[in-house]
Each structure stands twice: as structure tokens, then as C-alpha cells.
Amino acid sequence: MAKNRELLMVTKRTLYSWVLGRNLRWQVVLVLLVLLTVGSRIVPLELQKRIINQAIGMGNEDLLLFYCLLFIGAVFLASSLKFAINLLQAYIGQQTLKRMRSDLFDHILSLPLSFFRTIQPGQVVNALINELTTISGFVGSAVSVPLINVCTLLAMGGYLFYLNPLLAGLSFVLYPIQIFLVPKLQQRGNEANRYRVKISRIISGNIGEVITGVHEVHGHAGYSVESDKFASQAQSLLEANVRMNAYRYGIKFANNLFENLGPFILFLVGGTMTIRGHFDLGALVAFLSAYSSLNEPWRELMDFYQLLEDSRVRYKNVMTSFDLTPDHLLIPVDRNIYRFRGDIELQGMSFVADDGSKLLDDISLHIHAGELVALVGFSGSGKSTMVQAIAQLLSYSGGSVRLDEHEVKELTKVDIAENLGIVPQHPFIFSGTVLDNLLYSSRASIRNGTAENNLPDIDRLIEVMQQVGIFVDVLKFGVQSVISPKRYPDLVERVLSLLDFGSIAQNIVFGDFLDRRSVFENAYQNKRFLAFLGQEELERPLVEFGATIALATVPILRYAAQTQELFADSPITSEELDKYVDIVADISLRGRSGLKPQARSHLLKLALGFIPGRHKTVLMPPLLKDRLLKARTNFQIYMQERGELRLQFYDAQQYIQSRSIRDNILFGQPKADRGGAVEVINQHLLQLLIEEQVLEDIVDRGLDFQVGSMGEYLSGGQRQKIALARVFLKKPVIYVLDEATAALDNASQARVQSFLWTLRGRHTILSVVHRLDTIVNYDRIVVMKAGKIVEQGPYGELMAAKGALYELVGTK
């Protein structure tokens, strides 16, 4: 209840309302510290006079030491109090800034969606982060700074009159002029500052707009257009800053001038009086010190006045920008949240856009609780507008929209959120993990106090993920994740079962490099690896095998149609074909024994990169295969003896931490075009994970997958699946799906549709459907055209009538 009122009042609050409020007790503490500080500033001035006249003038060293100790004690006390005041001011300012930002952010979130179509994200960011920062400095100092400086001026002025009324009067004669002139300059400076703030906000909004739509800039090569626009705005900002700085430095010039005119008068008059014996030297020194002490509080008052005016400008600009009343309260006041049956009724509902166009006209529709209704229509017929009005995302212009006899306009946001779940065609995915996005709605319900303080367990998550088809994606994220054996020792221990499916080099090493910059493709150049091949007498057989591969592969690649598919299954890449053509020619002329060292090196590379399960041009000789398998163990011993363990070997008891979970289970990769191979492997992998009781652990890793900024690492289909799962986990009474399966493949769409049929009778479903082959089993089809409902009824009846639906199906 309090939160609702605060949200409605935040932009109406005055700047000074933030000064006290929750800060009252701290401001009282500040006042007490200020009074102590002012008193401690007078003591050193009197001590200066006594040190000169009494201690030094009378030659009393003991009295000199006593006065000096009192002097340094008073100075230390004043400095300590000032330090405490500054800390407390900063604390009050930062605490208030936090509350101000939070309250304003809450208010902004509650504003109508139409507001966000007229403001750029950069303007909101600039207002919350930059423009409010200066205001926090004012709030922290609003009481203490004027109080301490006014009191200091009065105290110092009183002390000056105590020392010499004539000199004191002359000292203050300049202040009326300064008080008249400086505010005039400040007023002009404030006007310049307001204009500068306006220009800054325009530039911030433009930058935010360009960054958000940078794909359009790239697509249309609009670099010069945006550059010229920014340059023009930057020039305006430059002129505004120059004008503002002119007034700012003019004020400083005036202050400095008046500060130095005062000592001129004092030295002239006071010095003359001292020379003639009308004023003692100690009193003159104390007077000069007191007068110089007036400069600091006076300067701080002028700075505070500038801060006050600047804060007023910024505060007014910020609050005016967001001074709109939310269309709906967040939570109910003096009642519980409504729990609906799922009845939806529209009577004469209309919607008029900001430009005056009528998007919906006299819509009347009654959807009974538990009914499955498909909403279809021609492009621009108003389908999405209608469901957004039902979901309280748009405010309808006329007529009535009721949920269980409750007018939608009169319901709170939480009433809608707890009873209705909407999935748009292009759902928004937040930065964070998959799990964060799945549980977004559930966590919101807990924070709003409308649900028990527990989240769906892993079984419920898996169930819903399977219903929408995102489970396989999450599983893929999990098995492709790289985990730390130290962090997940139990999971690592159960990731077993290696399949021999890699290149010859990978089969020899049977592991992976700890240094991710090292790759198997460079093994033929590694001196230590070559030394091992020589020790095992494998280099020559591998070079011979490389020649066999080249002789069998080059003619096929050279004379066949060189397509991408041809090279996909070839051990020779398109970039290396010419090189191996020359090598084959040399073999024909000189024989294999006559090849140059460089050619032999390339043949060794070809053999080491050969993948038996993928490259079918030749078969690996059984004898060579046996020797390679025996070389595995010897290679590990060979590397261990030399103490260079930059490799981690595959082993049933050892987890390769530089590889993903899937790579640790499956040594190698299947052919990219082998029909159904990936699906078959995934099925076997899933079964294996279940049998080894690691499925939930793998799913947890998949749920921790970072989706990137606004879900940039997810496909359109994956985003829709997450949005569907997010709403299904909440289990609202009413589901509103606005083309929520448009980006899904046929299998995933069929899975979602099957799930929807299970909700029939228990949940109301209103679905905007684009793919008309999926609407046959809905209870009712509502057809829209040009903002009106033109017909409705069961699919069979409408098709038999050969009306609007029949026409629509025929055009799809």
C-alpha cells in the first residue's frame, strides 16, 4: 500500500522533501556538529592575539607553550569536526541518492507502455545515473553547509566588531555589492546550465537510439547521416558549455576581486592605526586572520548557491520528464489479490492510436472459462492489439474489457500478472542464465507476496522444459559446458565412457593440450612429437600412408565438381589441393623415396590429420592401426619421462578439464552430414546420463548457461521456448499467446499444442495463431479483419460456411 502511494507521489515531491524525510535524525546530528565547529574556529583567533601580546610581548615562554598547545588543540578539533561533517554529508547524500533512484526507477517501470515508445533508453539512463548525482550532493549539504557558513560569518563578524568596530564596518562594506552582483551572474549561469542540460539529454537519447538501432545504420550505410547529426548536436553542446563556463568563471573572477579588495583596505587603514598606536599588533594579526577566515564560508555559500540552482534545474528536468501517473496500481489496496475462474468478456471495446487511427472498433467477445480460442485474421487486423488490451499492456479507448466481471482498467498489475500469462511473438530475454529467465515470473510472484517462498524444483523445471521443447537445448548447453574438476568433483568422476573417434594424431596423443593455443594440426611440426614417431619407427609408415591418401584423393578432388560437400569428407582441404597435386606429380616422377623433406612433411601432416571414421577414400592398414594403438601408452610414458606434461590424457579415471562434458564422453565428433547421427548420439548420450545418474547435474550446468545481452546467444526459437516455459511454470488461469510459437519448428510446435490440449477445461487459452494448420482442434475460431470481428465458431462450421476463415486459409 505504501509503495503504491510513493510511486504515485515521487515526481510530485519537492527537492527539499528529500533533505529531511528519513534523514531528520542525521540532520540533527549535523546541526550539533556544526555548532561545535563554529565555536572551535573562534578559539584559535583569540589565541593568536594572546600569543603575540601576552606570551611573546611579555617574554613568557611557559605561557607561550600553553597558548600554542591550546591553539593546535583547537585547530585539530575544528578539523576533526569538519571531517566528520563531510563524511556525514556524503553518507546522507548517497543514501538519499539510492532512495531517489530506486523510487524513480520503480515509478518509471509503472508508467504506461505508450510512454516508452516516446523516450529513448539513453534518456532514462542519463536521468537516473548522471543527473541525480549532483542532486545527492545538494541533499547531503542542504542543512549543514548554509548553517555552518552563516554561523561562521556571524561569529567571525561579531569577533571583528569586538576587536575594532571601525575596521569591521570597513570590512563588510564590500559585501552588499558582492551580494547584488554575484546572484545576477548566477541567474544567467543557471539559464545557460538549463540549456546545456537540455542539449545533453538530447544527445544522450540520440546515442541510445543509434546504438539500439545500429543494425539499421549498418544495413543502410547511414554512417554519414548519423555522424552529421551527432556533429551538429555536439556543436550545440560546445556552445552551451562555453556560455555556461563564461558565467561560471565570471562569478569566480568577481569573488576573487572582492576577496582581495578587503585585505587592501585592512592593510591600509589597520596598518595606519597600528603605526599611530591606536591598535595593538596582536589585535591586528587576529583581525586579519578573522577577516581571511571570512573568505572560506562566503565562498562556500556562493558555491552552495550555485549547487542549489543547478540541483533545482536538474531535479525539475528529471521529475518533469517522468511526471506521469501510472494507469494502474501495482498491488491492491485494502483487499486481497483476485483469483479468477478465467472468464473474458469484451463489450464494444475500441482502441485509438496516438495518431488518431482506429485499430479496434466495437469489439464484443465472450470467452468462457476453460475454453480454447484461436484468434486469426489478416495482417493488420488488430489481433495483437486486442490481446495486449486484455493483458493490460495497452489501455483501450472505449467500451469494456472484463475478467470475471472485473474491469481490466480497475485491476492492479499484480491481479493481472497472477491470473494471466502472456507470451509475445518476440519475447524479451534478460541478460543472465537460462534459469534466471525461466524463473523470472515465479520470482516476481514471490517478491510480490502472491506465492509461497519456494521456486519450482528440478523435476518441475524438466517437466515444463520438455513440454515446450527447450529441454534438449538446455541439455546441449550442459554437455557442451566446460567445468572445473575441483568445483564439480562428483560430476567429473561420473563422466566416463570414451569413444575412439578422432584423427590419427588425436588417437596417438589420446588427450588434449593444457595450452589451448596448441592444436593437433601442428603436430607434424612439433620436434618432440616427431622424435617420438622416430623412436616408435612410425614416421616412415605414416609418410607412406600419407602418400597413399594423396594418390587416392587428389584425382577425385581434381577432376570432380569441387563442391563444398566434396571437401567436407576429404582429408585434403580446398586450400591445400594444389600443394598435394604437385606432391602427387613428384611421386609419379621420382617415386616415394625421392621426395623432398618438405613434401614428406606435408604427407606426414596429411596422415596425422586422417580420421578413419570420416575419411572413406582409403582404409587404414590394420598393421598401422595396431601400431598406433600400442603407441598410445608409450607416448604417455615418453612425455612423463621428459617432465613436459602440457598434455592431459584421456582416461577412465581422469577428466580433461579443457574439454566440454560431451567431449569427455564422446572422443571426437560425428560427420556433419551423416543423417540422424547427431540425434542418435544425443539419444544414447541422454540414456547414458540417466543410467549414470548425472542427468540432473548436466541439466543444472545447462541452466547456468549465460544467454548474453538480451539473449544474443539464443536462437529465435529458443527465446520463444524460454518465454513459454516462463509462463507455464507460473500456471496462470488465463494464457494469452500472441503468435508465441511462430519461430518454433514443427516438432516443437506440435509438442506445445499437445500440452495446450491438456489444459482444456482448466485454463482459458486465447491464442493469436499465424499457422492456420494448427487451429483445427480449438474450441472456437475468432476471425478479425480491419479491426473488427467478422465471424467466429468451430473450425468445421466456419470452413463449411466459406466465409472469412475459408478465404484466409486459401491465401496462406
Side-chain angles (χ1 to χ4, degrees), residues 57 93 123 274 349 524 545 553 591 619 630:
Q123 292 178 259
T274 302
M349 189 264 279
Y524 75 102
F545 183 54
T553 307
L619 296 177
K630 292 178 182 178

mmCIF file with all atom_site columns, all heavy atoms in Angstrom, residues 57 93 123 274 349 524 545 553 591 619 630:
data_model
loop_
_atom_site.group_PDB
_atom_site.id
_atom_site.type_symbol
_atom_site.label_atom_id
_atom_site.label_alt_id
_atom_site.label_comp_id
_atom_site.label_asym_id
_atom_site.label_entity_id
_atom_site.label_seq_id
_atom_site.pdbx_PDB_ins_code
_atom_site.Cartn_x
_atom_site.Cartn_y
_atom_site.Cartn_z
_atom_site.occupancy
_atom_site.B_iso_or_equiv
_atom_site.pdbx_formal_charge
_atom_site.auth_seq_id
_atom_site.auth_comp_id
_atom_site.auth_asym_id
_atom_site.auth_atom_id
_atom_site.pdbx_PDB_model_num
ATOM 1  N N   . GLY A 1 57  ? 54.999  39.228  23.741  1.00 0.00 ? 57  GLY A N   1
ATOM 2  C CA  . GLY A 1 57  ? 55.254  40.605  24.193  1.00 0.00 ? 57  GLY A CA  1
ATOM 3  C C   . GLY A 1 57  ? 55.851  40.655  25.589  1.00 0.00 ? 57  GLY A C   1
ATOM 4  O O   . GLY A 1 57  ? 56.653  41.536  25.884  1.00 0.00 ? 57  GLY A O   1
ATOM 5  N N   . GLY A 1 93  ? 23.858  12.115  1.510   1.00 0.00 ? 93  GLY A N   1
ATOM 6  C CA  . GLY A 1 93  ? 23.650  12.304  0.080   1.00 0.00 ? 93  GLY A CA  1
ATOM 7  C C   . GLY A 1 93  ? 23.553  10.990  -0.679  1.00 0.00 ? 93  GLY A C   1
ATOM 8  O O   . GLY A 1 93  ? 22.661  10.815  -1.526  1.00 0.00 ? 93  GLY A O   1
ATOM 9  N N   . GLN A 1 123 ? 17.987  8.342   -22.405 1.00 0.00 ? 123 GLN A N   1
ATOM 10 C CA  . GLN A 1 123 ? 17.469  9.424   -21.573 1.00 0.00 ? 123 GLN A CA  1
ATOM 11 C C   . GLN A 1 123 ? 17.159  8.930   -20.165 1.00 0.00 ? 123 GLN A C   1
ATOM 12 O O   . GLN A 1 123 ? 17.406  9.639   -19.185 1.00 0.00 ? 123 GLN A O   1
ATOM 13 C CB  . GLN A 1 123 ? 16.206  10.008  -22.201 1.00 0.00 ? 123 GLN A CB  1
ATOM 14 C CG  . GLN A 1 123 ? 16.447  10.762  -23.505 1.00 0.00 ? 123 GLN A CG  1
ATOM 15 C CD  . GLN A 1 123 ? 15.162  11.281  -24.105 1.00 0.00 ? 123 GLN A CD  1
ATOM 16 O OE1 . GLN A 1 123 ? 14.622  10.699  -25.042 1.00 0.00 ? 123 GLN A OE1 1
ATOM 17 N NE2 . GLN A 1 123 ? 14.663  12.366  -23.565 1.00 0.00 ? 123 GLN A NE2 1
ATOM 18 N N   . THR A 1 274 ? 47.746  51.026  13.624  1.00 0.00 ? 274 THR A N   1
ATOM 19 C CA  . THR A 1 274 ? 48.754  50.346  14.457  1.00 0.00 ? 274 THR A CA  1
ATOM 20 C C   . THR A 1 274 ? 50.000  51.209  14.588  1.00 0.00 ? 274 THR A C   1
ATOM 21 O O   . THR A 1 274 ? 50.598  51.329  15.675  1.00 0.00 ? 274 THR A O   1
ATOM 22 C CB  . THR A 1 274 ? 49.102  48.982  13.843  1.00 0.00 ? 274 THR A CB  1
ATOM 23 O OG1 . THR A 1 274 ? 47.911  48.206  13.731  1.00 0.00 ? 274 THR A OG1 1
ATOM 24 C CG2 . THR A 1 274 ? 50.105  48.234  14.705  1.00 0.00 ? 274 THR A CG2 1
ATOM 25 N N   . MET A 1 349 ? -15.567 -2.805  -27.198 1.00 0.00 ? 349 MET A N   1
ATOM 26 C CA  . MET A 1 349 ? -14.213 -2.296  -26.940 1.00 0.00 ? 349 MET A CA  1
ATOM 27 C C   . MET A 1 349 ? -13.618 -1.698  -28.209 1.00 0.00 ? 349 MET A C   1
ATOM 28 O O   . MET A 1 349 ? -13.744 -2.253  -29.295 1.00 0.00 ? 349 MET A O   1
ATOM 29 C CB  . MET A 1 349 ? -13.324 -3.427  -26.426 1.00 0.00 ? 349 MET A CB  1
ATOM 30 C CG  . MET A 1 349 ? -11.962 -2.944  -25.924 1.00 0.00 ? 349 MET A CG  1
ATOM 31 S SD  . MET A 1 349 ? -10.677 -3.085  -27.156 1.00 0.00 ? 349 MET A SD  1
ATOM 32 C CE  . MET A 1 349 ? -10.283 -4.819  -26.984 1.00 0.00 ? 349 MET A CE  1
ATOM 33 N N   . TYR A 1 524 ? 52.696  -32.234 -36.744 1.00 0.00 ? 524 TYR A N   1
ATOM 34 C CA  . TYR A 1 524 ? 53.748  -32.647 -37.685 1.00 0.00 ? 524 TYR A CA  1
ATOM 35 C C   . TYR A 1 524 ? 54.953  -31.719 -37.643 1.00 0.00 ? 524 TYR A C   1
ATOM 36 O O   . TYR A 1 524 ? 56.012  -32.032 -38.198 1.00 0.00 ? 524 TYR A O   1
ATOM 37 C CB  . TYR A 1 524 ? 53.173  -32.703 -39.107 1.00 0.00 ? 524 TYR A CB  1
ATOM 38 C CG  . TYR A 1 524 ? 52.942  -31.364 -39.750 1.00 0.00 ? 524 TYR A CG  1
ATOM 39 C CD1 . TYR A 1 524 ? 53.827  -30.862 -40.709 1.00 0.00 ? 524 TYR A CD1 1
ATOM 40 C CD2 . TYR A 1 524 ? 51.856  -30.574 -39.408 1.00 0.00 ? 524 TYR A CD2 1
ATOM 41 C CE1 . TYR A 1 524 ? 53.622  -29.627 -41.295 1.00 0.00 ? 524 TYR A CE1 1
ATOM 42 C CE2 . TYR A 1 524 ? 51.642  -29.344 -39.988 1.00 0.00 ? 524 TYR A CE2 1
ATOM 43 C CZ  . TYR A 1 524 ? 52.525  -28.863 -40.930 1.00 0.00 ? 524 TYR A CZ  1
ATOM 44 O OH  . TYR A 1 524 ? 52.314  -27.641 -41.517 1.00 0.00 ? 524 TYR A OH  1
ATOM 45 N N   . PHE A 1 545 ? 51.642  -43.784 -45.652 1.00 0.00 ? 545 PHE A N   1
ATOM 46 C CA  . PHE A 1 545 ? 50.181  -43.756 -45.625 1.00 0.00 ? 545 PHE A CA  1
ATOM 47 C C   . PHE A 1 545 ? 49.667  -42.419 -46.154 1.00 0.00 ? 545 PHE A C   1
ATOM 48 O O   . PHE A 1 545 ? 48.650  -42.347 -46.852 1.00 0.00 ? 545 PHE A O   1
ATOM 49 C CB  . PHE A 1 545 ? 49.672  -44.016 -44.211 1.00 0.00 ? 545 PHE A CB  1
ATOM 50 C CG  . PHE A 1 545 ? 48.172  -44.085 -44.119 1.00 0.00 ? 545 PHE A CG  1
ATOM 51 C CD1 . PHE A 1 545 ? 47.447  -44.950 -44.928 1.00 0.00 ? 545 PHE A CD1 1
ATOM 52 C CD2 . PHE A 1 545 ? 47.477  -43.271 -43.222 1.00 0.00 ? 545 PHE A CD2 1
ATOM 53 C CE1 . PHE A 1 545 ? 46.059  -45.012 -44.840 1.00 0.00 ? 545 PHE A CE1 1
ATOM 54 C CE2 . PHE A 1 545 ? 46.091  -43.335 -43.135 1.00 0.00 ? 545 PHE A CE2 1
ATOM 55 C CZ  . PHE A 1 545 ? 45.388  -44.213 -43.952 1.00 0.00 ? 545 PHE A CZ  1
ATOM 56 N N   . THR A 1 553 ? 43.134  -39.573 -53.220 1.00 0.00 ? 553 THR A N   1
ATOM 57 C CA  . THR A 1 553 ? 42.200  -38.453 -53.031 1.00 0.00 ? 553 THR A CA  1
ATOM 58 C C   . THR A 1 553 ? 42.342  -37.367 -54.086 1.00 0.00 ? 553 THR A C   1
ATOM 59 O O   . THR A 1 553 ? 41.339  -36.809 -54.556 1.00 0.00 ? 553 THR A O   1
ATOM 60 C CB  . THR A 1 553 ? 42.401  -37.829 -51.622 1.00 0.00 ? 553 THR A CB  1
ATOM 61 O OG1 . THR A 1 553 ? 42.307  -38.857 -50.642 1.00 0.00 ? 553 THR A OG1 1
ATOM 62 C CG2 . THR A 1 553 ? 41.362  -36.766 -51.349 1.00 0.00 ? 553 THR A CG2 1
ATOM 63 N N   . GLY A 1 591 ? 59.165  -41.184 -57.472 1.00 0.00 ? 591 GLY A N   1
ATOM 64 C CA  . GLY A 1 591 ? 58.866  -42.260 -56.539 1.00 0.00 ? 591 GLY A CA  1
ATOM 65 C C   . GLY A 1 591 ? 58.784  -41.724 -55.128 1.00 0.00 ? 591 GLY A C   1
ATOM 66 O O   . GLY A 1 591 ? 59.202  -40.600 -54.836 1.00 0.00 ? 591 GLY A O   1
ATOM 67 N N   . LEU A 1 619 ? 41.375  -46.970 -46.703 1.00 0.00 ? 619 LEU A N   1
ATOM 68 C CA  . LEU A 1 619 ? 41.258  -47.648 -45.425 1.00 0.00 ? 619 LEU A CA  1
ATOM 69 C C   . LEU A 1 619 ? 42.620  -47.692 -44.754 1.00 0.00 ? 619 LEU A C   1
ATOM 70 O O   . LEU A 1 619 ? 43.650  -47.874 -45.423 1.00 0.00 ? 619 LEU A O   1
ATOM 71 C CB  . LEU A 1 619 ? 40.716  -49.065 -45.610 1.00 0.00 ? 619 LEU A CB  1
ATOM 72 C CG  . LEU A 1 619 ? 39.291  -49.178 -46.163 1.00 0.00 ? 619 LEU A CG  1
ATOM 73 C CD1 . LEU A 1 619 ? 38.922  -50.647 -46.367 1.00 0.00 ? 619 LEU A CD1 1
ATOM 74 C CD2 . LEU A 1 619 ? 38.298  -48.518 -45.237 1.00 0.00 ? 619 LEU A CD2 1
ATOM 75 N N   . LYS A 1 630 ? 49.158  -49.250 -29.851 1.00 0.00 ? 630 LYS A N   1
ATOM 76 C CA  . LYS A 1 630 ? 50.236  -49.567 -28.907 1.00 0.00 ? 630 LYS A CA  1
ATOM 77 C C   . LYS A 1 630 ? 51.042  -48.310 -28.572 1.00 0.00 ? 630 LYS A C   1
ATOM 78 O O   . LYS A 1 630 ? 51.599  -48.193 -27.477 1.00 0.00 ? 630 LYS A O   1
ATOM 79 C CB  . LYS A 1 630 ? 51.156  -50.626 -29.510 1.00 0.00 ? 630 LYS A CB  1
ATOM 80 C CG  . LYS A 1 630 ? 50.511  -51.998 -29.660 1.00 0.00 ? 630 LYS A CG  1
ATOM 81 C CD  . LYS A 1 630 ? 51.471  -52.986 -30.299 1.00 0.00 ? 630 LYS A CD  1
ATOM 82 C CE  . LYS A 1 630 ? 50.790  -54.354 -30.478 1.00 0.00 ? 630 LYS A CE  1
ATOM 83 N NZ  . LYS A 1 630 ? 51.668  -55.339 -31.150 1.00 0.00 ? 630 LYS A NZ  1
#
